[in-house]
Amino acid sequence: DTLWDLAIAEVEKRENPDEDDVKPGEVWEKSILFMGNKNGGKTTIILRCLEREESPKPTIALEYTFGRRARRHNTPKDVAHFWELGGGTSLVELIRIPITSHNIRSFAVVLVLDLSKPNELWTTMESLLQVTRNHVNKILTKLEKTSPEVAAEIKQRMWNHLQRDHPDYALVDPFPIPLVIIGSKYDIFHEFDSEMRKTISKTLRFVSHYYGASLVFTSKSEALLLKARALINHLAFGYDKSKSVSVDPSKPLFIPAGLDSMSQIGPPPASDSDLGKMRANTPLELWKKVFEKTFPAKSFCDLQDTKDPAQDSQYAEYEVDVMRAQKNQ
């Protein structure tokens, strides 16, 4: 290496401290699990991130794909593994397959919430994040026994986006692995009444800040997809994190982790007398009650798909279906 190469490498190392554990010539491998509402646009976002020009098909259960990028000229390509959980919340048990103790250090989660269906929003978010968190915590408990330094590093990293002197340090409960929350179908959401938009935006800002997550609203528009892509590329390939912030409720939100605060978000959108009547043990519970007062949750069984996937037209296969009809007959 020439002196210039060494200088460039040194500067890059200072700018991207995450890459300290990746030696030159070594391949960086990351894994990302996409989950969220059924038909919420997860596949579209993945295809855009991987710059693939194909039309998205409905996801069957758990699907896998990968992307490769070279950080510099003549270096081996880094690999990002993309997992996608289909079926909304009905197949959440499958997250045990991609998230394991071997890859937990390099794992991240992207939660895609359909802004056009506010009545499903909280239930979907709560059930998916709860199951994921429980699973990750189980892995961390095991790691504390087998490799305590790895478990300690993951726990320390949860807090990296918040400075110790941040006023909300004691009020948040960061997600154990990096999390990005994407509000999809912004084009439909944008037609909503402004008070409804305000309630949804404020609530998602609170939830993202509480979990130490980044938040971005997106739609099929190229400019918005680019913003979502920037956040995902940061997780997948270690690209620079965007420093721009947009918190105006009349525009699409874009807030990287750690750049929001409770004082900016303000109290839950309800009158003081209503807030006084609501019994809640945690701030998260209070926000949930306020949100579900405006958008009553669909009962969980509505979200669980009761219909038999074998009868679903999107999975039709002519030869198999003919044989099956014959057998049933």
Side-chain angles (χ1 to χ4, degrees):
D1 280 359
T2 67
L3 199 55
W4 285 114
D5 292 338
L6 293 170
I8 291 168
E10 183 61 34
V11 170
E12 284 190 347
K13 192 170 152 188
R14 281 183 199 166
E15 283 177 351
N16 304 318
D18 298 2
E19 293 184 19
D20 282 355
D21 42 353
V22 181
K23 296 168 189 64
E26 199 180 314
V27 173
W28 147 307
E29 255 186 82
K30 294 277 181 180
S31 303
I32 300 181
L33 172 65
F34 286 77
M35 53 191 191
N37 293 84
K38 200 174 172 172
N39 304 326
K42 300 182 288 296
T43 312
T44 308
I45 293 166
I46 293 174
L47 292 173
R48 290 303 300 124
C49 282
L50 297 174
E51 295 173 12
R52 288 196 194 146
E53 296 292 332
E54 50 193 87
S55 46
K57 295 185 195 68
T59 303
I60 303 175
L62 184 68
E63 291 195 3
Y64 168 82
T65 184
F66 67 92
R68 300 176 70 196
R69 298 264 194 296
R71 244 169 306 164
R72 287 185 288 285
H73 189 55
N74 285 344
T75 55
K77 287 188 171 179
D78 296 327
V79 181
H81 306 280
F82 288 91
W83 295 87
E84 185 187 352
L85 181 71
T89 51
S90 56
L91 302 167
V92 71
E93 294 306 316
L94 291 175
I95 61 154
R96 294 194 301 243
I97 297 165
I99 309 179
T100 66
S101 53
H102 300 298
N103 64 14
I104 188 84
R105 278 177 73 184
S106 58
F107 213 99
V109 170
V110 174
L111 176 66
V112 180
L113 297 172
D114 186 337
L115 296 173
S116 68
K117 296 177 183 162
N119 300 73
E120 291 176 20
L121 203 135
W122 195 285
T123 321
T124 302
M125 174 184 74
E126 191 175 54
S127 52
L128 289 171
L129 290 184
Q130 230 163 8
V131 175
T132 310
R133 185 168 217 157
N134 293 345
H135 176 60
V136 170
N137 286 342
K138 268 185 207 155
I139 292 177
L140 287 178
T141 310
K142 265 191 210 157
L143 280 176
E144 274 165 357
K145 297 185 183 111
T146 54
S147 38
E149 62 289 341
V150 174
E153 180 204 327
I154 291 170
K155 288 191 166 171
Q156 175 48 46
R157 223 174 41 194
M158 282 160 54
W159 291 94
N160 278 0
H161 64 275
L162 264 200
Q163 267 39 56
R164 275 196 179 278
D165 55 1
H166 195 291
D168 304 334
Y169 200 79
L171 303 172
V172 296
D173 183 12
F175 205 67
I177 53 179
L179 173 67
V180 169
I181 296 177
I182 296 181
S184 65
K185 305 198 181 169
Y186 178 78
D187 44 343
I188 301 173
F189 169 78
H190 191 57
E191 305 296 315
F192 284 6
D193 164 69
S194 68
E195 282 309 304
M196 281 166 73
R197 284 208 312 265
K198 213 167 169 178
T199 303
I200 297 169
S201 297
K202 233 177 158 182
T203 305
L204 285 178
R205 275 181 70 184
F206 170 78
V207 168
S208 301
H209 185 56
Y210 184 78
Y211 283 130
S214 298
L215 174 67
V216 59
F217 282 3
T218 185
S219 69
K220 285 183 178 144
S221 107
E222 203 54 42
L224 291 186
L225 275 169
L226 275 174
K227 290 204 152 185
R229 223 172 101 183
L231 284 176
I232 294 164
N233 278 336
H234 170 69
L235 295 178
F237 302 107
Y239 287 9
D240 287 348
K241 228 173 27 184
S242 172
K243 297 276 192 297
S244 72
V245 175
S246 164
V247 292
D248 181 347
S250 63
K251 297 192 174 83
L253 297 182
F254 181 78
I255 312 168
L259 297 183
D260 212 341
S261 67
M262 298 292 185
S263 57
Q264 282 177 298
I265 296 166
S271 66
D272 292 349
S273 60
D274 279 351
L275 287 177
K277 289 180 206 148
M278 290 180 182
R279 301 234 175 287
N281 299 325
T282 62
L284 193 65
E285 217 175 292
L286 180 64
W287 278 83
K288 176 182 177 172
K289 289 190 169 169
V290 171
F291 185 78
E292 292 192 335
K293 195 167 186 279
T294 315
F295 303 106
K298 278 193 171 180
S299 71
F300 201 63
C301 40
D302 292 350
L303 291 178
Q304 294 278 25
D305 269 343
T306 40
K307 65 174 192 277
D308 175 6
Q311 307 299 326
D312 195 329
S313 58
Q314 73 185 34
Y315 307 133
E317 283 189 47
Y318 180 72
E319 286 87 352
V320 178
D321 296 340
V322 168
M323 296 302 281
R324 187 173 171 128
Q326 208 173 328
K327 184 173 188 295
N328 289 346
Q329 200 178 340

